[in-house]
Structures are given as structure tokens and as C-alpha cells.
């Protein structure tokens, strides 16, 4: 279970999360919707441990472990996975090299031996195929020159291979065409399990047609202002955020 | 009556050390009894004395004040019997595994017992010292080994040369494997001087790997003349590696028309490494792609200085320098592109990027363009910065530990300068050297 209590965090001295509360039990998918600048990406960075995001109050635990006591890599090894809103390009590091380093880091943390190259290649091939990602593309430097949609699918591929238990998906639908959204969503759905908790950040209810959320939260000005069932997403799509006191960004 | 007054600048202690060294070894140097050899050496010594030990007010040595950095000159090595040398241990397993024609110079001497280049098809190889024994041999050989003007390192390498590789590749010959020139400065209390000359006949294709290793605080200076014939192609990898050694190298490369020259220089550590060169285009449609990687920490000082002289039209030059500097290390890249009158359609570009891993590390980049033709495309750029924190976070957010994430990013950064190496064994060897350097911190 992910438990976030009264979380306060600031960036450059500016408070962005202002008493954020959220509980996501294992096995559930929670959607967070909210206007631009409301702090959704900030929340995902704070949970995954990015530098420069200072927690000034509150707590966040995953299965009882204090996330804020852990380094980003320890959090990842404990099952946290942030699918970035804007995946980074890493020149000079081939996607395959990167994937293997990440998988082996997880295995090492679990006390397992490194994955053999044939096993690794087989695993990558299987998952890449499901996501319509070519192996040729994975020989190239990570995300360099990839289209926006390709980068997002690459995030899902990483997730499929690392098998996280706490998934934070930050606008994984942005920049994806309709087919790609379906392909990526199917990838996410394959990871749903009784042990996995997911936070799906999105602006559009369309994604939630593919990844059915158990709960939808409305986030504005650094807080959860309202929570409800998946029909809340439909309502937001129609009425917007005006009633939550958000100015248009 | 006229009074002839010769004004000779009195040698400072910096020059005197070299002059004293020469006086102490001149009778024991190879060819000491052959007047032509002596004259050849002494002409070089005079040139050195006139130039002096360069200091920071000498433009080409602005960032590498040799007078301040080189406070002692070691006794010259390579005059006595060859020392023991374990090549594989010195250069490392991965480099040793590369299938090649080896020419090993250890302790200033050619080591036939450790070399395999003798008699290789299409390659004529002679150690310089073998040509200094008779007046006739020397006269023929030394006529082709002239001294470039204004080059202190070439002057020292010539005056003190105990040997060197004289290599000639037959026209049209395409070598089936690389030549591996292995130079080991085996005694840390010595200085070594070598003078090499390499010639590729028209249309020849070759790959040369140079590995320079210095024991302890050894000193080495060398000069290489490289002549690449019409339509010939040379890939030239050069690795200098040592923790505390001093290494001064100069190379003058001449390219005929349509020739292709692809040097990749890597300097890993070293108290002082200065590698200067001139790439001289003499005919049209030739190309040179120069890549350099610097990895330095502690008090290392690495200086790559390159002049690309476009004296012919329609030639292309590319320079890419990647420097990773930690602690108080200092990296220098001085890149000058000169375009002579009439060298139209010259295409010359250079880029230098430094990754500064500490606040005390320093990178000095001095690009220089000197253009006397109007229809040319020339450009340069330089950057210096830290590791990208966003990239670090991306890797760590995937579970990759911080140290490993840093190593991956740094290796990727320098890797850009090693990408053109297509010999897989060499690429692997250099990757391993980089990884070892990163792991050593
Ligand atoms: N490095 C920073 N320095 C200052 N302010 C920042 C910084 N990063 C984010 N912010 C501010 O924090 C607020 C929340 O940003 P965040 O990216 O979390 O919003 P979001 O809800 O993800 O928006 P979007 O829907 O546009 O992705 C914004 O007002 C943003 O300008
Ligand atoms: Mg966002």
C-alpha cells in the first residue's frame, strides 16, 4: 500500500505540494487529474526522489517503507517506477546497454545473479514485440532521435522488463497516437496484479477507457480536492477545473 | 674593421639541463662515430637551443608552461643493454590481444625479440638505430628525416633519438591487420627519445595503433613524421597511459590528394602529456577526421594542440575533442585551422567538449581560424559543463546505482570520440581502459 500523508514539498523555495493526502492499496489503480501546474509531476518526482524537490513535511510509505529515507535507486529497487512525462535522451548509451544495467541492478539488489545475455535478449524481444518496438531501435542510444510516441513506448518497455510494483505514470498518453495509446495501455494492464499499485496521471479520460481506474482524484494547487469513481473523469472532461478554483494555465 | 658580435641568449637552467644531458651522452648515442649522424643531431640541438624550453609566453605553449612544469630532466635511457619488458602486462590484456604486426620499443630500444613486424608482407620496417651505423646508410636515411621548423619536441627527439620506427607501406598495399607500435618507457628514472617516420605509398591502406606506457615518473619525447600518399588511407589510434609520467609528442602529417587520415588520440592520466600535431593537406579532396579523448584526474595535465593546414582546395577536416577532468586536472585543446590562399571549398570544423567533475578541474580551449580563401565553410565550438543531473536521475530512477550511473554517462561522453574506431578489439580495449579509469576513483 502507498500511503501519502499531509505531504508538503517545495522547489526553489516555492511550495508546490501543500498537504497532499493519498492512499493507494495494492491491486488498485488511481488516476490523478488536474490542471497544468497543479503539482502532478512534482508529486511523481518527490515520490521517486529527484534532487531539488525538498520535502518539508508529511510522509510517504510504500508497503511500510519510508520512501524519503531511500535514494532514487533504492526506491526503484523496492519497486517504484516513474514513467516520465518527458523521457530523457541519453546520447552514447544504447537502449540495450541501459536496459541490461537496470535489470541487473534490480537483480543484484535482490541478491540474484546477473541475467545472461541470451535470457536478456529473449526477454527484451518478447516485450518489445508486444509494444511494436523494433530491436533495431533498441541498439540506438536511449531515446535519441526517437519520436515522442516512441519514447513513451520505451518507458512502458522498461516498466515491462523491470516489473515494478508501484507505477507512477505521468501523462503516458501525451504525444501518443490512438493506436499507440492502446498498445501502451495494454502494456500497463499486463502489469496490473494484486501486488501492484498504480497512479495514472492524465489530462484525458480516454486513457482511462483503456486503463480502468478504481479511484479518480482531482488535484489542484498541490492538494487532492476531490475523489470519486471513474465517472468523475467523465464529469471533468465536460466541466473542466473551473469549479476547483484553477485559473487556466 | 668590423666587430662581429654574436648575440647568443644565455641558456637558462631549463635549457642547460638538456645541453648538459647531450654533452654527457653524445659519445654513446647510436651513430656517435658517424659524422653525418652527429651533424644531424647537433643541428637539432642547435635548433632546440635557439627555441629554448617553451613557457607560457610562447603562444603555442600558452596553457602548458613546460619551463615551469618540467623541472628536471632524467638521464637518457636506451644506451645500455635492453631491459626486461613484459609487454602484455604493460599494455594490458585487451590491447595485447589485438592481432597485429608488433613493433616494440622498450626502454628506448627496438626489441626484435618482442616484435612481429619484421618481414610482414608489404611493410618495410627498420629501426632507426640500424641506419645510423655507417656514413652511407646514415646519409641516405637522414636526408629524409629533416627537422620541422620551430618544433622543440621534434628537435629534442632528434638530438637524443636512441631509435624509432621507420615504416614504409608499399603503394596499393592494404594491410590485413594493424601495425601496433608499442612504446614502453620502462624505467621511471629515465628519459627516452624516439624518432619515427611512417610512409604510406599511394593507394595503400593501413591501421596503426600506438600505445605509449610510462613507468612511474619516466619521461618520453618523440617525433613522428607521417606521409600519406595519394588516395591512401590511414587509421591511427594513439593511446598514452601512465599515472606520473611526462610525455611530449609531436607529429607532422602530410596528406596527398584524396588521402584519408583518421587519428584517434586518447590520453589517460599522466603527469604531463603534450601531444601536438600538424595535419598538412597538399592535394585536393583529402579528408582528416581527428578525435581526441582526455581522461585526467589528480594533478594531471593533458594538452592536445593541433594545426590543420589546408594548403589545397576541396579538403575536409573534422576535429572532436572530449575531455573528462576531475580533481585539479587540467585539459587543453588548441585547434588551429589555417586555410591558405586558393584552398577554396575547404570544409573545416572543430568541436571541443569538456566534462568537469570537480570545481578545481580546468579546461582551456583555444580555437583559431586563419582563413585566406573566400569560399570556405569553417566553424568551431567549445563547451564545458558538469554531468547532467536530469540524466543522472533518469538512470537512478531505473535502479542503477549512482556511481554506475555516473560511469555510464562519462563513458558515453568520451565514447563519442572513440566511435570511429572500427577495430572491434581496439574498441573493446579502449572501452576497458575508460572503465578501469572510472573504477579507479
Ligand atoms: N524547477 C522549478 N522551479 C520553480 N518552479 C517549478 C519548478 N518545477 C516546477 N515548478 C512549478 O511547480 C508547479 C507544478 O509543476 P508540475 O510540473 O508539478 O505541474 P503538473 O501538474 O505536472 O503540470 P502539467 O499538467 O502541465 O504537466 C508549476 O507551477 C511549476 O511552474
Ligand atoms: Mg506534469
Amino acid at each position: 500500500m502507498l500511503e501519502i500523508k499531509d505531504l508538503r514539498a517545495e522547489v526553489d523555495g516555492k511550495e508546490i505540494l501543500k498537504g497532499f493526502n493519498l492512499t493507494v492499496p495494492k491491486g488498485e489503480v488511481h488516476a490523478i487529474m488536474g490542471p497544468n501546474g497543479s503539482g502532478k509531476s512534482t508529486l511523481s518526482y518527490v515520490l521517486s526522489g529527484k534532487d531539488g524537490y525538498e520535502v518539508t513535511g508529511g510522509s510517504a510509505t510504500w508497503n511500510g517503507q519510508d520512501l524519503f529515507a531511500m535514494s532514487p535507486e533504492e526506491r526503484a529497487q523496492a519497486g517504484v517506477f516513474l514513467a516520465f512525462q518527458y523521457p530523457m535522451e541519453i546520447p552514447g548509451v544504447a537502449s540495450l546497454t541501459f536496459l541490461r544495467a537496470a535489470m541487473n541492478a534490480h537483480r543484484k539488489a535482490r541478491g540474484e545473479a546477473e541475467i545472461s545475455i541470451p535470457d536478456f535478449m529473449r526477454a527484451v524481444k518478447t516485450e518489445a514485440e508486444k509494444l511494436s518496438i523494433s530491436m533495431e531501435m533498441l541498439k540506438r542510444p536511449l531515446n535519441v532521435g526517437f519520436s515522442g510516441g516512441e519514447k513513451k513506448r520505451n518507458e512502458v518497455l522498461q516498466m515491462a522488463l523491470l516489473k515494478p510494483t508501484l507505477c507512477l505514470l505521468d501523462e503516458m498518453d501525451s504525444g501518443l497516437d490512438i493506436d499507440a495509446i492502446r498498445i501502451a495501455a495494454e502494456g500497463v494492464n499486463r502489469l496490473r496484479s494484486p501486488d501492484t499499485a498504480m497512479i495514472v496521471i492524465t489530462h484525458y479520460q480516454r486513457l482511462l477507457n483503456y486503463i480502468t481506474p478504481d479511484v479518480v482524484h482531482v488535484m489542484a494547487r498541490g492538494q487532492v480536492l476531490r475523489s470519486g469513481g471513474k465517472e468523475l473523469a467523465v464529469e471533468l472532461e465536460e466541466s473542466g477545473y473551473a469549479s476547483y478554483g484553477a485559473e487556466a494555465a | 674593421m668590423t666587430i662581429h658580435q654574436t648575440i647568443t641568449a644565455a641558456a637558462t637552467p631549463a635549457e642547460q639541463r638538456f645541453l648538459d644531458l647531450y654533452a654527457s651522452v653524445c659519445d654513446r648515442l647510436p651513430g656517435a662515430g658517424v659524422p653525418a649522424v652527429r651533424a644531424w643531431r647537433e643541428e637539432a640541438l642547435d635548433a632546440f637551443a635557439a627555441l629554448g624550453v617553451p613557457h607560457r609566453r610562447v603562444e603555442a605553449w600558452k596553457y602548458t608552461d613546460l619551463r615551469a612544469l618540467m623541472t628536471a630532466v632524467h638521464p637518457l635511457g636506451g644506451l645500455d643493454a635492453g631491459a626486461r619488458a613484459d609487454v602484455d602486462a604493460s599494455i594490458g590484456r585487451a590491447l595485447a590481444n589485438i592481432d597485429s604486426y608488433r613493433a616494440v620499443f622498450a626502454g628506448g630500444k627496438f626489441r626484435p625479440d618482442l616484435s612481429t613486424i619484421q618481414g610482414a608482407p608489404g611493410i618495410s620496417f627498420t629501426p632507426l638505430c640500424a641506419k645510423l651505423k655507417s656514413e652511407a646508410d646514415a646519409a641516405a636515411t637522414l636526408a629524409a628525416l629533416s627537422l620541422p621548423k620551430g618544433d622543440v619536441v621534434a628537435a629534442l627527439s632528434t638530438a637524443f633519438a636512441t631509435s624509432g620506427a621507420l615504416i614504409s607501406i608499399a603503394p596499393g598495399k592494404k594491410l590485413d591487420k594493424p601495425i601496433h607500435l608499442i612504446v614502453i618507457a620502462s624505467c621511471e628514472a629515465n628519459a627516452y627519445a624516439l624518432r619515427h617516420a611512417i610512409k604510406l605509398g599511394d593507394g595503400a591502406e593501413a591501421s596503426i595503433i600506438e600505445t605509449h606506457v610510462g613507468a612511474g615518473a619516466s619521461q618520453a619525447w618523440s617525433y613522428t613524421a607521417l606521409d600519406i600518399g595519394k588516395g591512401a588511407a590511414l587509421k591511427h589510434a594513439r593511446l598514452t597511459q601512465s599515472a606520473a609520467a611526462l610525455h611530449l609528442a609531436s607529429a607532422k602529417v602530410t596528406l596527398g590528394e584524396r588521402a584519408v587520415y583518421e587519428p584517434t588520440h586518447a590520453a589517460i592520466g599522466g603527469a604531463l602529456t603534450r601531444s601536438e600535431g600538424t595535419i598538412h593537406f597538399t592535394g585536393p579532396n583529402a579528408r582528416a577526421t581527428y578525435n581526441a579523448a582526455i581522461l585526467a584526474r589528480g594533478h594531471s595535465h593533458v594538452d592536445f594542440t593541433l594545426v590543420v593546414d589546408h594548403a589545397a582546395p576541396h579538403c575536409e577536416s573534422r576535429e572532436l575533442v572530449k575531455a573528462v577532468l576531475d580533481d585539479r586536472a587540467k585539459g587543453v585543446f588548441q585547434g588551429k585551422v589555417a586555410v591558405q590562399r586558393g584552398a577554396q571549398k575547404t570544409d573545416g570544423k572543430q568541436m571541443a567538449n569538456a566534462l568537469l567533475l570537480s570545481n578545481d578541474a580546468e579546461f582551456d580551449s583555444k580555437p583559431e581560424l586563419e582563413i585566406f580563401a573566400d569560399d570556405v565553410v569553417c566553424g568551431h565550438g567549445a563547451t564545458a559543463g558538469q554531468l547532467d543531473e536530469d540524466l543522472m536521475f533518469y538512470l537512478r530512477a531505473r535502479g542503477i546505482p549512482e556511481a554506475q550511473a555516473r560511469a555510464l554517462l562519462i563513458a558515453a561522453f568520451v565514447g563519442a570520440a572513440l566511435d570511429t574506431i572500427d577495430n572491434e578489439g581496439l574498441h573493446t580495449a579502449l572501452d576497458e581502459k575508460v572503465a578501469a579509469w572510472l573504477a579507479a576513483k
Side-chain angles (χ1 to χ4, degrees):
Chain A
M1 181 164 73
L2 172 69
E3 258 191 307
I4 305 171
K5 284 191 193 145
D6 199 28
L7 180 57
R8 290 177 181 275
E10 46 183 63
V11 185
D12 284 342
K14 181 178 158 202
E15 186 167 72
I16 310 289
L17 300 182
K18 304 170 180 175
F20 184 93
N21 290 289
L22 179 69
T23 299
V24 185
K26 286 206 267 186
E28 290 194 5
V29 173
H30 287 212
I32 297 182
M33 305 181 77
N36 295 130
S38 54
K40 303 182 299 296
S41 292
T42 301
L43 173 70
S44 69
Y45 286 145
V46 167
L47 293 179
S48 49
K50 188 169 183 180
D51 261 357
Y53 291 75
E54 201 195 336
V55 176
T56 52
S59 63
T61 58
W62 168 238
N63 293 339
Q65 290 174 278
D66 176 4
L67 285 177
F68 300 148
M70 300 157 85
S71 67
E73 53 269 39
E74 287 167 340
R75 297 182 207 195
Q77 290 159 7
V80 179
F81 185 98
L82 166 60
F84 284 71
Q85 180 173 359
Y86 303 108
M88 240 52 84
E89 297 191 0
I90 309 199
V93 179
S95 298
L96 286 172
T97 308
F98 163 78
L99 286 171
R100 202 151 72 89
M103 287 175 78
N104 281 331
H106 280 74
R107 294 169 77 102
K108 193 169 174 196
R110 290 194 298 262
E112 296 169 13
E114 290 202 345
I115 189 168
S116 75
I117 305 247
D119 285 351
F120 167 73
M121 291 308 285
R122 212 169 300 128
V124 174
K125 239 185 198 133
T126 310
E127 295 302 334
E129 225 156 74
K130 291 182 199 158
L131 293 162
S132 313
I133 296 172
S134 75
M135 289 303 282
E136 263 326 293
M137 207 164 92
L138 297 177
K139 288 178 187 153
R140 287 171 25 200
L142 186 65
N143 288 333
V144 176
F146 288 20
S147 76
E150 287 168 344
K151 287 179 187 168
K152 291 302 187 70
R153 266 185 285 159
N154 214 348
E155 295 287 288
V156 181
L157 173 66
Q158 293 169 29
M159 198 160 51
L161 289 167
L162 296 175
K163 304 196 174 23
T165 48
L166 174 57
C167 304
L168 312 168
L169 311 180
D170 193 356
E171 295 194 27
M172 62 157 274
D173 51 340
S174 72
L176 287 184
D177 65 41
I178 297 160
D179 292 336
I181 290 183
R182 185 179 42 76
I183 292 168
E186 285 168 3
V188 172
N189 283 331
R190 282 193 290 275
L191 282 167
R192 290 180 76 157
S193 84
D195 284 326
T196 308
M198 289 190 184
I199 292 181
V200 179
I201 296 170
T202 183
H203 286 296
Y204 305 105
Q205 103 95 18
R206 188 177 52 206
L207 177 66
L208 305 179
N209 288 338
Y210 295 107
I211 307 173
T212 315
D214 297 289
V215 185
V216 174
H217 306 277
V218 180
M219 179 172 187
R221 285 170 278 115
Q223 293 183 321
V224 172
L225 295 189
R226 196 177 152 199
S227 304
K230 59 178 187 274
E231 63 291 344
L232 182 52
V234 182
E235 182 192 319
L236 287 170
E237 190 108 324
E238 280 160 16
S239 58
Y241 298 111
S243 60
Y244 298 92
E247 312 103 65
Chain B
M1 182 173 142
T2 25
I3 299 174
H4 290 281
Q5 196 180 8
T6 323
I7 303 173
T8 316
T12 70
E15 286 85 35
Q16 199 57 51
R17 283 193 280 266
F18 287 98
L19 300 176
D20 290 348
L21 177 64
Y22 185 79
S24 72
V25 298
C26 60
D27 293 331
R28 289 185 292 144
L29 282 165
V34 180
V37 176
R38 255 198 129 95
W40 177 71
R41 292 188 187 281
E42 282 166 18
E43 180 202 339
L45 193 71
D46 287 348
F48 160 75
L51 290 163
V53 175
H55 47 79
R56 66 195 152 77
R57 286 186 307 283
V58 175
E59 196 55 25
W61 293 77
K62 186 170 171 184
Y63 300 105
T64 300
D65 188 336
L66 193 62
R67 189 164 294 196
L69 290 166
M70 191 179 179
T71 49
V73 178
H74 294 338
L76 193 70
L79 300 172
D80 309 315
R84 273 167 39 89
D86 183 342
V87 175
D88 290 12
S90 297
I91 67 175
R93 174 91 23 224
L95 277 174
N97 279 344
I98 299 170
D99 186 21
S100 65
Y101 300 112
R102 274 189 187 184
V104 178
F105 290 83
K109 282 185 125 72
F110 174 61
R111 294 293 298 269
D113 52 327
L114 304 173
S115 303
T116 54
I117 193 170
Q118 308 93 313
I123 305 175
S124 134
F125 170 88
T126 324
L128 173 64
C129 56
K131 291 284 183 190
L132 304 178
K133 290 180 173 141
S134 77
E135 189 73 24
D137 260 359
T141 306
L142 301 182
L145 298 180
S146 61
L147 190 68
K149 278 204 171 53
D151 189 333
V152 179
V153 175
L156 288 175
S157 307
T158 304
F160 292 97
T162 54
S163 195
L166 304 180
I167 298 173
S168 175
I169 296 162
K173 178 70 191 175
K174 295 175 178 31
L175 292 190
D176 58 339
K177 51 187 180 182
I179 292 173
H180 196 167
L181 187 58
I182 299 171
V183 181
I184 302 169
S186 41
C187 173
E188 66 170 330
N190 278 343
Y192 300 96
L194 296 173
R195 197 178 149 146
H196 312 288
I198 300 168
K199 188 174 163 49
L200 266 73
D202 294 351
E205 281 176 26
S207 162
I208 296 179
I209 303 167
E210 274 185 57
T211 303
H212 297 259
V213 219
S218 61
Q219 301 180 335
W221 47 92
S222 70
Y223 173 68
T224 306
L226 249 168
D227 185 356
I228 306 174
K230 288 180 193 169
L234 177 63
K235 289 182 198 296
H236 186 190
R238 191 170 193 285
L239 171 71
T240 31
Q241 192 188 16
S242 48
L246 174 141
H247 190 96
L248 304 175
S250 173
K252 192 171 169 65
V253 185
T254 306
L255 277 79
E257 62 177 79
R258 290 175 290 104
V260 176
Y261 180 49
E262 296 179 312
T264 302
H265 288 195
I268 302 180
L272 172 59
T273 299
R274 155 94 176 187
S275 180
E276 62 179 277
T278 308
I279 295 175
H280 183 62
F281 290 102
T282 64
N285 299 110
R287 173 170 71 81
T289 303
Y290 172 96
N291 286 316
I294 297 173
L295 294 172
R297 63 164 67 98
H299 284 82
S300 274
H301 180 122
V302 179
D303 175 338
F304 282 138
T305 291
L306 180 70
V307 176
V308 177
D309 182 15
H310 283 271
H314 293 278
C315 291
E316 179 189 292
S317 62
R318 290 286 177 277
E319 296 161 51
L320 175 66
V321 177
K322 293 277 179 180
V324 179
L325 303 163
D326 201 353
D327 304 330
R328 309 189 67 85
K330 182 166 165 174
V332 178
F333 177 62
Q334 302 186 97
K336 176 172 171 176
V337 174
V339 181
Q340 309 292 348
R341 223 173 299 278
Q344 302 296 9
K345 302 286 180 195
T346 286
D347 178 354
K349 293 197 181 65
Q350 58 169 266
M351 175 57 75
N353 308 121
L355 189 53
L356 303 174
L357 300 178
S358 106
N359 289 331
D360 296 320
E362 181 181 326
F363 183 62
D364 297 300
S365 164
K366 191 182 74 173
E368 212 182 326
L369 293 175
E370 193 184 83
I371 302 176
F372 294 107
D374 48 19
D375 188 10
V376 303
V377 184
C378 286
H380 60 78
T383 65
Q386 276 100 44
L387 265 188
D388 186 328
E389 282 305 321
D390 287 341
L391 296 189
M392 280 295 290
F393 176 62
Y394 190 81
L395 294 171
R396 296 177 71 191
R398 296 296 177 252
I400 299 173
E402 186 174 7
Q404 195 189 345
R406 282 170 70 84
L408 262 172
L409 292 180
I410 297 170
F413 176 85
V414 283
L418 309 175
D419 271 353
T420 48
I421 292 176
D422 52 9
N423 181 312
E424 217 166 293
L426 178 59
H427 208 298
T428 306
L430 290 175
D431 284 349
E432 279 179 19
K433 295 276 182 199
V434 171
W437 184 82
L438 288 166
K441 173 99 178 176

